[in-house]
Amino acid sequence: RFDWILGAYYQRNVIDVLILTREAGFPIDIYPANRRTTTGFFAQGNYQLSEAWELQAGARYSTYETAGAGGVFIGSGIPGFPPGGIPVADLSGRYSENKVTGKVALNWQVDHRNLAYLFVARGYKPGGFNSVTSSFQPETVLNYELGLKSTLAGGRVRTQLAAFYNDYSDFQFAVLEP
């Protein structure tokens, strides 16, 4: 009646970028170099309430650390400017956080071909920094979903119909304008 899973996750990213661009013929060089480490520990339990009903609950503890260096330089290669250009922005910084997220679901096995489900889940994307003077908060989302999964035509066709609502906080989007 009860099954479960435990796990852990580790990821290390080295992100070194070189952007050489020109604005109206004027050179702009952008050199960010970042190191990111993400860990996660998770658990989920599924409990069979009856032959047709199952309750699922899961949680995840995540940690995130990032550090970086680099800068924005203008005028590289133009006579009268330093060989590497003039630094106009410092892209260094540090950021760390940890967060607990989770999910609760109720599944109804209508028959051997149809499963109806309902769940609420919380997810997030880590915050970070843009420069030594600019940071941003983590993005969080609370997701509500109701759906139906069906198997038809003797198992040759599978369908999924779902309705969902996502409630975001501190939504993140990337914009790069030198």
Side-chain angles (χ1 to χ4, degrees), residues 29-40:
D29 302 338
I30 306 169
Y31 303 102
N34 292 294
R35 307 296 180 260
R36 297 178 183 164
T37 303
T38 305
T39 62

Side-chain angles (χ1 to χ4, degrees), residues 62-104:
S62 301
T63 68
Y64 177 76
E65 294 180 8
T66 184
V72 178
F73 302 85
I74 61 170
S76 176
I78 294 181
F81 282 81
I86 297 173
V88 294
D90 183 356
L91 300 180
S92 62
R94 298 184 85 74
Y95 184 86
S96 66
E97 68 184 19
N98 54 59
K99 185 78 71 179
V100 175
T101 55
K103 174 182 175 180
V104 175

Side-chain angles (χ1 to χ4, degrees), residues 14-44:
V14 175
I15 305 167
D16 295 334
V17 179
L18 171 59
I19 301 171
L20 306 175
T21 186
R22 292 187 172 271
E23 294 290 327
F26 193 76
I28 301 172
D29 302 338
I30 306 169
Y31 303 102
N34 292 294
R35 307 296 180 260
R36 297 178 183 164
T37 303
T38 305
T39 62
F41 304 94
F42 57 89
Q44 179 171 312

